[in-house]
Amino acid sequence: MVKTRKDDVNIPAPTPTDQPAEEFSVEKILDKRSRNGKVEYLLKWKGYNDEDNTWEPEENLDCPDLIAAYESQFETSLLDTEDKNKRKNISEDNRARGFDRGLEPHKIVGATDASGELMFLMMWKKCKEADLVPASQVNVRCPEIVINYYENKKMWHTKETVIELD
């Protein structure tokens, strides 16, 4: 059972006469963000309602298996999408893409300019398949998702150099 302290920053350090701090069990990792250069995860706590979910700094967590499982779902999704696209014949792939699918955007998981235009790899709510969407469309239709993507980037690569962000 994985255990960590909920709302670690709000729990006063115990004194010798205090009872030990109550421990809470993490049920699931729901999301990830970067705040002030530190990675935080949104946690669902075992035995608690969704209203009790909290953002916790990565360094306070002792649940490497849950973190790995959360991170791997995006890697697997990207790899699955790439494999499916390689196997499909381009002439038979006339399905709607991007915002034309009528789906609600969830988050950006990658970016590329390989086609000569900046494209975001977009994950959609209630859908496991990602799409490459022109950044010009995403910037207009959901700027808050673009901002969140750039805020969560740790390192940027350009042709000439690598830029590290704090």
Side-chain angles (χ1 to χ4, degrees):
M1 180 178 292
V2 178
K3 293 186 176 186
T4 187
R5 291 190 323 179
K6 185 176 179 212
D7 295 323
D8 192 41
V9 293
N10 297 327
I11 298 173
T15 61
T17 59
D18 287 341
Q19 295 290 334
E22 185 177 356
E23 289 191 350
F24 298 84
S25 296
V26 177
E27 180 178 319
K28 184 177 182 182
I29 296 177
L30 303 171
D31 203 356
K32 176 182 175 181
R33 71 180 181 190
S34 179
R35 288 285 166 117
N36 301 320
K38 294 187 177 187
V39 174
E40 296 180 344
Y41 289 96
L42 181 61
L43 304 179
K44 167 77 172 102
W45 298 97
K46 286 183 183 174
Y48 288 85
N49 295 325
D50 288 339
E51 303 88 59
D52 297 314
N53 296 348
T54 60
W55 287 99
E56 299 293 334
E58 182 176 29
E59 67 265 11
N60 290 0
L61 303 179
D62 184 23
C63 52
D65 293 342
L66 289 176
I67 292 171
Y70 174 80
E71 297 293 345
S72 71
Q73 72 182 344
F74 297 109
E75 293 170 13
T76 302
S77 179
L78 289 174
L79 293 174
D80 288 347
T81 300
E82 289 174 10
D83 288 344
K84 287 177 186 174
N85 289 340
K86 286 178 185 176
R87 286 185 254 141
K88 286 185 179 178
N89 184 336
I90 293 173
S91 64
E92 68 184 25
D93 192 9
N94 294 325
R95 295 179 299 141
R97 293 282 182 205
F99 291 102
D100 294 337
R101 294 172 65 191
L103 299 172
E104 189 176 349
H106 175 59
K107 68 187 335 181
I108 297 168
V109 295
T112 182
D113 63 355
S115 66
E117 176 184 12
L118 181 60
M119 305 284 281
F120 290 125
L121 184 59
M122 190 75 136
M123 296 297 293
W124 307 94
K125 291 183 180 176
K126 299 181 181 178
C127 181
K128 292 183 180 180
E129 187 177 333
D131 285 323
L132 278 174
V133 182
S136 57
Q137 290 180 15
V138 180
N139 291 338
V140 171
R141 297 189 74 169
C142 49
E144 66 286 348
I145 292 176
V146 176
I147 292 167
N148 188 43
Y149 171 72
Y150 285 122
E151 285 179 342
N152 287 314
K153 289 299 288 176
K154 288 196 176 237
M155 188 178 297
W156 288 31
H157 296 274
T158 66
K159 291 180 182 175
E160 295 82 27
T161 185
V162 173
I163 303 167
E164 290 191 43
L165 303 176
D166 292 327

